[in-house]
Amino acid sequence: MDTTTTPAVIAARPTRRRDRALAVLAAPAATLAVWAAAVPGAGVDLVVRNGGTEQPVTAGAVGVSTLLAGLAGWALLALLERFTARARAVWTGAAALVLLVSLLGPVGGGVGTGATLTLVALHLVAAAVLVPLLRRTARG
């Protein structure tokens, strides 16, 4: 029997899609809360050094980059589910690796301790939302 067409599998698809969409939307909400607490709230001068120039990290940049990261995570998870029976494990490993690599940016590019710590916090908060919520929706 082909289990991809059973009523239970068909019913799970909209729920999985909804849960993934909520995870992808929750991540920018969480990182924007951190940005608001740090920048206008605590007065952190959130600036990064990029190619010899310094530029501020705006709320828009935080929201869009977190949204794009969430969409990329969702796309990778969906792709892995098509091609491997161990999608959850592979995706979780890939997500952990992406987080570790992403932390190189703030550590090397933050201008000042406050900016560096805030940028690291933004990356960790995005991962803390996306990884468990998307992982929970994974098959395999």
Side-chain angles (χ1 to χ4, degrees):
M1 178 175 175
D2 181 9
T3 60
T4 60
T5 59
T6 63
V9 170
I10 292 170
R13 287 183 188 145
T15 302
R16 182 177 293 118
R17 193 173 300 127
R18 182 202 66 218
D19 290 349
R20 289 178 182 180
L22 289 173
V24 167
L25 293 174
T31 56
L32 286 169
V34 171
W35 182 90
V39 177
V44 172
D45 190 19
L46 193 52
V47 176
V48 294
R49 193 172 301 107
N50 186 11
T53 63
E54 294 182 358
Q55 56 191 50
V57 178
T58 64
V62 169
V64 169
S65 61
T66 308
L67 180 63
L68 292 175
L71 290 171
W74 182 352
L76 178 60
L77 181 56
L79 187 67
L80 287 168
E81 286 175 331
R82 289 179 142 289
F83 295 106
T84 181
R86 296 179 31 92
R88 179 181 290 129
V90 173
W91 184 86
T92 303
L97 183 61
V98 167
L99 171 62
L100 291 174
V101 171
S102 81
L103 290 173
L104 296 174
V107 169
V111 177
T113 303
T116 300
L117 292 175
T118 301
L119 290 166
V120 167
L122 289 168
H123 285 242
L124 293 175
V125 165
V129 172
L130 288 170
V131 173
L133 292 181
L134 287 176
R135 184 181 192 285
R136 188 181 70 192
T137 70
R139 290 190 306 253

